[in-house]
Each structure stands twice: as structure tokens, then as C-alpha cells.
Amino acid sequence: LCIPSLHLRQALQDRDSILDFTLRKQKSDRRYPEMVPMPEIKASPAWLGMYPVTVQQYRTYLEAQQEPMPPAPPWGWHADHPIVGITWQEAKNYVRWLNQTTRHHYDLPPLHVWQYAALDSPEEGILDDIAWWGENAGESTKPVGQKLPNRFGLYDMQGNVWEWVDGKQEDKQHTAAGGSWDSHFAQCQWNSTASWQRDTRDFSIGFRVVRYQ
């Protein structure tokens, strides 16, 4: 079985067993009062996917399971675009298969890990340089890795697709982070989140994997 490369980058350094945000906190923006500095958290070293999981990677998984692709978005399936229209549970099923196939420990990233890796949030004038969002995406996803990476070498952390994150569901809903191809500026920030029902299929939602030591 050939598994497309996942392109992992270490997002949490060994020295960051306690993540100190005293030097990384953003200043509060009066235009967006809901965007507040992130508190200190604890986490273990982790490697985060350089890109969201792509259509080709997800297709490889489904072929191994002898299952069909989900309904296609209006722009169709393109191998190097992020997979979309995947429920939270289907994303969890993918990482479970990945664990069995590679014998590594993969999962959806917890929200605090995802936010740490996305902490570099742009000014509105430079969002075009790092993200496909509502002002430049043309009403569809785009190939992963086409915009500039952040300080961890991670691509598409803002925009292109909302990304499912791991964690307890609240009111039968799960959280996604980072904004998408149809999001406005305030939704494309390190602490931007939205919630959907766990069985939601939306063409603006994809996911990224994390690997633990």
C-alpha cells in the first residue's frame, strides 16, 4: 500500500512542555474584541501536517477501505486540493486507519495545539500572502501549499478550509478552526473557531493531522 507523504513539521518543541505565551501574545484588536490573547497551556511535543489532508490522500484511504468518495463539491475533486465535505467522525476514522497502517500515533490536533501552531495571525493587508479566503479564493478551495507558510513552515493554517480539531463535543457539536475559502478576515485568525454538528458535511471544512511521539 502506497501512502502519500504527510509532510509533518514539529509544531511543539521539546522545550515547550509548558507553552509560554508571554512573548507571543498578540495585542487585542479593538475592531475584533472577541480576538483575545491566548493563555498559557500545557502540551506534549507534536508534529503537525504541513498541509491539510488532500483529496489524493483521502482517496488512497477510501480505496484501501473499498469505499466510494463522498459527494463532490461544485468545483469537483482535484488531487492537490484539501479534502472537504468530511464529517468529524470520518476524519477520526481516517486517522485511526493511518495509525493502523503506519504504526504511529496520529490524531486530529486538539484546539490548543492547532492554535499554538497558528499563532502568527496576519494583518488584513497581508492575509492574501498566506491564505485563500473570501476576498481572493474565487468561491472554491485551492491547491495546498500555494501561499506563504507560517513560522513553523505550515501552510494554509488560515483560510482554504476550516479544520476539524479534536476535543469533547458540546451540545452535540464539534469545533473547526482557521477559516476557509469563503471566510471574512476575522474568521481567518489563530483563535477563530466555528462549531458544527458531528455529522455535518460542508464544502468549507477539511482537516489536518497531528502525530505524537
Side-chain angles (χ1 to χ4, degrees), residues 82-141:
I83 188 68
V84 293
I86 300 301
T87 69
W88 183 89
Q89 187 58 57
E90 287 171 337
K92 292 288 284 186
N93 293 343
Y94 174 87
V95 294
R96 186 179 300 115
W97 167 80
L98 204 57
N99 291 338
Q100 295 171 350
T101 305
T102 67
R103 300 191 182 280
H104 290 295
H105 180 197
Y106 290 97
D107 209 337
L108 297 180
L111 180 60
H112 66 270
V113 171
W114 192 99
Q115 289 181 330
Y116 177 86
L119 194 58
D120 285 342
S121 284
E123 297 293 332
E124 189 162 6
I126 63 171
L127 186 59
D128 282 347
D129 294 335
I130 68 166
W132 295 109
W133 62 301
E135 295 297 317
N136 68 2
E139 301 186 355
S140 73
T141 58

Side-chain angles (χ1 to χ4, degrees), residues 40-67:
E40 290 185 3
I41 58 173
K42 294 182 179 181
S44 301
W47 282 258
L48 201 62
M50 191 185 305
Y51 314 113
V53 171
T54 65
V55 169
Q56 181 56 52
Q57 289 170 334
Y58 198 77
R59 180 183 283 125
T60 297
Y61 152 68
L62 290 181
E63 289 175 349
Q65 304 299 304
Q66 297 184 331
E67 295 180 7

